[in-house]
Amino acid sequence: QVQLVDSGGGEVESGGSLRLSCVASVRNFNTYAMGWFRQPPGKEREFVAGIAYTAYTTKYADSVRGRFTISRDNTKKTVYLQMNNLKPEDTAVYYCRASFNGNWLDSWSQGTQVTVSS
């Protein structure tokens, strides 16, 4: 069972930046791929970014590519999401999630609210 705790959300103006963190309580964190998802108000949860366990491979949703950067520190069992040039449409609750052997696990972090004002 993977336990995930995220932090770093807040309210910023359009064009601002935030950095989200997600700490995992699991053995062998370096064997898990990790991802960030978000759920905008009134919409379904969607994929934002993912990073392989090696950290050499990343993937982004088209809507955030070039503005968001996912990274990880396996020594700290932490995955980050650096969000730059934030837009009002980035407003959502952000969650992290782990993946093992190509399958997303059912465990989610508790969610952190990001609000971008215009």
Side-chain angles (χ1 to χ4, degrees):
Q1 185 76 6
V2 179
Q3 293 185 336
L4 304 168
V5 178
D6 58 40
S7 61
E11 184 169 352
V12 297
E13 294 184 349
S14 183
S17 298
L18 285 172
R19 188 194 196 201
L20 307 183
S21 300
C22 175
V23 181
S25 296
V26 66
R27 290 185 178 181
N28 302 322
F29 174 74
N30 59 356
T31 64
Y32 291 82
M34 298 296 298
W36 285 97
F37 292 72
R38 67 186 181 187
Q39 187 163 15
K43 298 183 179 181
E44 294 187 352
R45 200 169 297 186
E46 61 185 15
F47 172 81
V48 175
I51 186 166
Y53 66 92
T54 62
Y56 294 138
T57 302
T58 57
K59 184 177 182 179
Y60 296 93
D62 289 343
S63 58
V64 307
R65 187 175 293 112
R67 300 186 297 120
F68 290 12
T69 302
I70 188 170
S71 62
R72 64 190 294 160
D73 185 338
N74 287 340
T75 64
K76 296 181 179 179
K77 297 185 179 181
T78 301
V79 61
Y80 303 97
L81 186 67
Q82 177 66 45
M83 304 184 295
N84 297 328
N85 190 22
L86 283 160
K87 304 176 180 181
E89 52 264 42
D90 295 318
T91 295
V93 179
Y94 284 71
Y95 302 88
C96 64
R97 193 180 188 186
S99 172
F100 189 74
N101 282 344
N103 297 306
W104 290 109
L105 304 182
D106 290 335
S107 296
W108 296 85
S109 62
Q110 81 279 13
T112 186
Q113 176 71 47
V114 172
T115 302
V116 185
S117 58
S118 57

